[in-house]
């Protein structure tokens, strides 16, 4: 069984989603959006890091799935996004979690079936795949999609290798 933390990083708000993946089945644990204070970047990163540390302590995920940096509107926006990703990764790595990065296209392809899917399609499919009673917020849905992408990828790799399980990051 793996508990996977998915993160959709942002400099103003960061989505998170936690799922439990066991024997090819995903189960929703929690999700939400960390709203970062409207202050300088160091203060935002502190809030992000502390919030993620609380989540990690509470739910004990063992794996992180995070969206890779894409070319943003501007160099400044890409830099701020990179800072948020870095703070999230450090918060997870210091707790011994493995880090897995996927492009936005890979995540959408894994969950929706199309790498060019829009946000509403991702929200709908995440809701369906995890049997949620409602539609999660955009950022939370993107984070849950990242976690599902990792679960699907890991499951596919095990199947391709002919293994029956993963233990200590090794196929068995």
């Amino acid at each position: 069984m793996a508990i996977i933390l998915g993160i959709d990083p942002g400099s103003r708000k960061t989505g998170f989603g936690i799922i439990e993946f066991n024997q090819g089945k995903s189960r929703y644990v929690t999700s939400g959006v960390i709203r970062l204070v409207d202050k300088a970047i160091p203060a935002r990163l502190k809030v992000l890091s502390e919030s993620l540390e609380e989540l990690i302590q509470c739910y004990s995920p063992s794996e992180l799935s995070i969206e890779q940096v894409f070319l943003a509107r501007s160099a400044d926006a890409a830099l701020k996004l990179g800072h948020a990703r870095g703070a999230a990764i450090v918060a997870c790595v210091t707790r011994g979690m493995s880090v897995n990065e996927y492009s936005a296209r890979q995540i959408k392809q894994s969950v929706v079936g199309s790498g060019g899917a829009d946000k509403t399609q991702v929200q709908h499919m995440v809701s369906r795949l995890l049997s949620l009673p409602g539609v999660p917020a955009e950022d939370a849905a993107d984070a849950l999609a990242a976690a599902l992408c990792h679960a699907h990828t890991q499951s596919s790799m095990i199947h391709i290798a002919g293994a029956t399980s993963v233990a200590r990051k090794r196929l068995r």
Side-chain angles (χ1 to χ4, degrees):
M1 175 182 70
I3 299 176
I4 304 168
L5 168 62
I7 295 180
D8 178 36
S11 62
R12 299 227 175 256
K13 54 186 178 173
T14 291
F16 69 89
I18 300 176
I19 64 169
E20 182 181 286
F21 186 69
N22 191 15
Q23 297 180 349
K25 297 192 189 306
S26 299
R27 185 183 69 80
Y28 174 83
V29 176
T30 191
S31 64
V33 177
I34 301 168
R35 300 200 184 282
L36 305 174
V37 292
D38 209 13
K39 294 185 179 181
I41 279 288
R44 291 184 203 172
L45 297 178
K46 181 177 189 261
V47 169
L48 176 58
S49 180
E50 289 173 348
S51 299
L52 288 174
E53 286 174 10
E54 282 181 37
L55 281 169
I56 293 165
Q57 188 171 359
C58 184
Y59 295 100
S60 302
S62 57
E63 301 174 40
L64 168 66
S65 179
I66 190 165
E67 189 174 311
Q68 292 174 338
V69 173
F70 63 95
L71 193 55
R73 296 180 308 267
S74 67
D76 186 52
L79 187 60
K80 287 177 182 173
L81 178 61
H83 289 321
R85 284 184 80 252
I89 289 170
V90 168
C92 294
V93 169
T94 57
R95 294 290 192 149
M97 295 172 60
S98 66
V99 176
N100 305 277
E101 299 178 74
Y102 299 95
S103 70
R105 265 188 112 54
Q106 286 174 302
I107 293 169
K108 292 174 184 177
Q109 176 72 37
S110 176
V111 174
V112 179
S114 167
D118 64 29
K119 295 250 185 210
T120 57
Q121 291 172 308
V122 172
Q123 286 175 292
H124 174 75
M125 285 307 297
V126 163
S127 181
R128 295 288 306 255
L129 290 169
L130 294 172
S131 302
L132 301 178
V135 177
E138 280 184 7
D139 296 303
D142 287 348
L144 287 166
L148 286 166
C149 175
H150 179 61
H152 295 165
T153 301
Q154 190 175 36
S155 180
S156 294
M157 295 305 287
I158 291 169
H159 181 72
I160 289 169
T164 56
S165 66
V166 175
R168 297 184 188 151
K169 299 182 190 177
R170 293 188 180 142
L171 299 174
R172 293 186 181 236

